Amino acid sequence: MSTQHSALSTKHTAESRLRIGEIELTSRLIVGTGKYATFALMREAIDASGAQMVTVAVRRINLDRPHEESLLDYLDRSRVTLLPNTAGCYTAEEAIRTATLGREAGLSNLVKLEVIGDQNTLLPDTTALLEATRVLVKDGFIVMPYTNDDPIMAKKLEDAGAACVMPLAAPIGSGQGIINPLNIRFILEAVSVPVIVDAGVGTASDAAVAMELGADGILMNTAIAGARDPVKMARAMRLAVEAGRLAYDAGRIPKKSHAAASSPTEGLVVARPGHQRAAESTRSS
């Protein structure tokens, strides 16, 4: 292998990692653990996704009944990093308390921070989210806040110490894909921390689009768990995320309003019909 090729390979390997705080992941797909028919199916889908980080809802784990079967029994913690989340919290105080409970139970000092502002839309309460982010960062948490697709709030969360920002693609569980791709681009320009698109993905093409925009990663749950075949969808999402990132790294061609020949025309001799008939007449005389 040439020195130049070796350097390029090393560079590509480094760029292919997703870094959140002190954690490095080679997979840019993060998946959830909810809504599966069985824990065994959940484990199979996670394996198919290739994800190295999985979210677990602190409030849905029987922390006070350790001898009962739990989704934690089906997760190989030597292979996946647990990302506790504060799903179901509607105030900053509630989210802070839930995150602290998860850490004290030995889950992680990582937290996917959710503070929901409306029960119907499940959109985040960004004011409470920012408040909780500041408190948890000071308390030593690696905070990954789920927020709306607002570049101003994304920058405020970064300034508050968030390890990344997680803007929604669309409302949670809606499967609509990225509704405002321009806002995602604005967020990517506004912050220097990783941008992980979260919520609203429906199928593999949605994941590819998110990655092609330049997102550093993507988090999903319902799109996989709610699919007719979760294991197949998990593999599709894995391939889509990889393909989208490769396409982003490769750089798409610019869009044009007119056609452009795919074969080079420089140096070609093109005989017009009239000239061809004249040449044939001269040869026959």
Side-chain angles (χ1 to χ4, degrees), residues 1-276:
M1 181 183 292
S2 68
T3 303
Q4 181 181 10
H5 182 72
S6 177
L8 288 172
S9 298
T10 302
K11 181 173 183 291
H12 176 75
T13 300
E15 288 181 347
S16 69
R17 296 188 183 117
L18 172 60
R19 186 178 179 90
I20 301 169
E22 297 179 353
I23 297 171
E24 281 193 354
L25 307 169
T26 54
S27 170
R28 292 177 178 271
L29 175 60
I30 303 170
V31 297
T33 53
K35 301 184 178 181
Y36 287 95
T38 66
F39 289 143
L41 180 61
M42 174 200 73
R43 180 171 57 192
E44 191 177 356
I46 291 172
D47 288 345
S49 75
Q52 296 168 315
M53 179 178 283
V54 299
T55 65
V56 293
V58 175
R59 301 180 72 181
R60 296 194 182 104
I61 299 175
N62 299 327
L63 297 176
D64 58 340
R65 298 190 296 276
H67 300 297
E68 291 187 7
E69 185 181 53
S70 163
L71 67 85
L72 295 179
D73 299 325
Y74 289 81
L75 297 175
D76 183 351
R77 296 181 67 170
S78 68
R79 296 175 56 191
V80 296
T81 296
L82 296 188
L83 174 58
N85 70 49
T86 60
C89 295
Y90 283 82
T91 66
E93 293 76 14
E94 192 178 13
I96 293 166
R97 185 167 58 251
T98 301
T100 303
L101 178 63
R103 183 171 67 178
E104 289 177 351
L107 294 180
S108 178
N109 67 335
L110 283 166
V111 61
K112 180 195 170 188
L113 184 60
E114 299 180 33
V115 185
I116 301 302
D118 178 73
Q119 194 169 10
N120 293 321
T121 64
L122 299 180
L123 292 173
D125 179 339
T126 53
T127 302
L129 179 71
L130 183 59
E131 178 188 345
T133 297
R134 289 174 175 148
V135 171
L136 290 172
V137 167
K138 287 181 180 178
D139 199 21
F141 281 88
I142 299 172
V143 181
M144 301 170 63
Y146 162 68
T147 184
N148 58 18
D149 57 350
D150 176 9
I152 308 302
M153 181 51 63
K155 181 59 180 170
K156 288 182 178 181
L157 288 165
E158 178 185 29
D159 292 343
C164 67
V165 291
M166 306 179 76
L168 54 81
I172 293 173
S174 68
Q176 296 186 53
I178 296 182
I179 294 178
N180 296 310
L182 186 59
N183 282 19
I184 300 300
R185 289 195 179 100
F186 285 156
I187 291 172
L188 288 162
E189 293 172 0
V191 302
S192 57
V193 294
V195 175
I196 300 173
V197 171
D198 182 13
V201 168
T203 190
S205 58
D206 298 334
V209 168
M211 299 307 295
E212 288 172 6
L213 287 173
D216 297 283
I218 189 163
L219 190 152
M220 65 184 72
N221 183 59
T222 305
I224 294 176
R228 185 171 62 249
D229 188 327
V231 176
K232 284 185 178 179
M233 184 59 80
R235 184 167 182 269
M237 291 299 189
R238 174 182 188 169
L239 295 172
V241 169
E242 292 175 357
R245 183 65 186 188
L246 281 173
Y248 173 75
D249 286 342
R252 67 160 294 143
I253 63 171
K255 294 182 180 180
K256 300 178 181 178
S257 58
H258 295 83
S262 57
S263 299
T265 57
E266 186 177 342
L268 291 179
V269 176
V270 180
R272 289 181 298 217
H275 290 179
Q276 185 176 359

